[in-house]
Amino acid sequence: GAVVSQHPSWVICKSGTSVKIECRSLDFQATTMFWYRQFPKQSLMLMATSNEGSKATYEQGVEKDKFLINHASLTLSTLTVTSAHPEDSSFYICSANGPRLSSYNEQFFGPGTRLTVL
Amino acid sequence: GNSVTQMEGPVTLSEEAFLTINCTYTATGYPSLFWYVQYPGEGLQLLLKATKADDKGSNKGFEATYRKETTSFHLEKGSVQVSDSAVYFCARLLQGAQKLVFGQGTRLTINP
């Protein structure tokens, strides 16, 4: 149980275009989803926290107008990178937790999406 | 402040060697502690966890003990395999909080 999927697993796009990445909880209801960014050989940087039905909470320094997050249902959150540029190229990872999965808010991670902006 | 510090990598060992990856944390209260593993090109997988002092998490031959007195959660394995080559992340989660705080990651390479 507690499986999280991401789609696509990799995407290449041209500079200036927008890219949408989906994060789904397959067998549980995810009341909270998290989006991380990981640069090569570095740790995960939390970008934002989203709770179903409300606006995402962005970490300091993350542009909310550039990284649009929607958590419209209990099983789906989307991250849209708007007007992507080469510096947005990165590995994006989502995670999710739910109200009855554990007593300590354990997060379950998706497999990640590699974005390359040309 | 609240942070997690891991030993710097990369770490390169021979197969069947003993492994230790150090992790210390600073936090107010009593966090839950985790080790995650990331294989090349993949997301994170939970390796083991401990939710209170003196708990020992274990999985796939790996162990880590929650030491409140030294604020540490060192990862150990008695005999590593080539398939253990990956990046290992220590993380903590404060009680009642949602955000995981990760260490910088330690890249482990096991040579046959």
Side-chain angles (χ1 to χ4, degrees), chain A residues 64-102:
Chain A
K64 60 181 67 176
D65 293 332
K66 180 164 189 63
F67 298 100
L68 300 178
I69 291 171
N70 184 282
H71 190 169
S73 80
L74 285 171
T75 59
L76 173 65
S77 176
T78 60
L79 167 68
T80 301
V81 183
T82 62
S83 187
H85 289 93
E87 58 265 30
D88 298 323
S89 299
S90 192
F91 195 51
Y92 293 88
I93 302 175
C94 74
S95 69
N97 65 22
R100 285 179 291 278
L101 284 178
S102 70

Side-chain angles (χ1 to χ4, degrees), chain A:
Chain A
V3 178
V4 176
S5 70
Q6 282 184 240
H7 178 80
S9 55
W10 59 270
V11 57
I12 302 172
C13 69
K14 292 183 179 179
S15 187
T17 61
S18 294
V19 174
K20 181 185 284 187
I21 302 170
E22 293 185 349
C23 177
R24 293 183 185 272
S25 58
L26 299 185
D27 51 3
F28 67 99
Q29 293 186 329
T31 50
T32 305
M33 286 184 167
F34 305 83
W35 286 96
Y36 295 85
R37 184 173 180 177
Q38 186 181 30
F39 291 101
K41 299 185 179 181
Q42 294 188 27
S43 190
L44 279 73
M45 181 191 79
L46 180 64
M47 299 173 67
T49 302
S50 74
N51 292 294
E52 185 266 337
S54 62
K55 289 185 178 179
T57 302
Y58 289 80
E59 295 297 302
Q60 193 173 8
V62 178
E63 299 175 61
K64 60 181 67 176
D65 293 332
K66 180 164 189 63
F67 298 100
L68 300 178
I69 291 171
N70 184 282
H71 190 169
S73 80
L74 285 171
T75 59
L76 173 65
S77 176
T78 60
L79 167 68
T80 301
V81 183
T82 62
S83 187
H85 289 93
E87 58 265 30
D88 298 323
S89 299
S90 192
F91 195 51
Y92 293 88
I93 302 175
C94 74
S95 69
N97 65 22
R100 285 179 291 278
L101 284 178
S102 70
S103 60
Y104 48 86
N105 290 331
E106 180 177 348
Q107 292 181 27
F108 297 89
F109 285 80
T113 297
R114 183 159 303 284
L115 170 63
T116 301
V117 184
L118 302 177

Side-chain angles (χ1 to χ4, degrees), chain B residues 22 28 37 48 60 63 81 102:
Chain B
N22 289 341
T28 53
V37 58
L48 53 84
K60 299 181 181 180
E63 291 184 342
Q81 306 300 314
F102 287 91

Side-chain angles (χ1 to χ4, degrees), chain A residues 36 43-44 109, chain B residues 4 6 36 44 89-91 100-104:
Chain A
Y36 295 85
S43 190
L44 279 73
F109 285 80
Chain B
V4 176
Q6 289 179 233
Y36 285 88
L44 270 66
F89 292 94
C90 185
L100 274 171
V101 174
F102 287 91
Q104 67 268 41

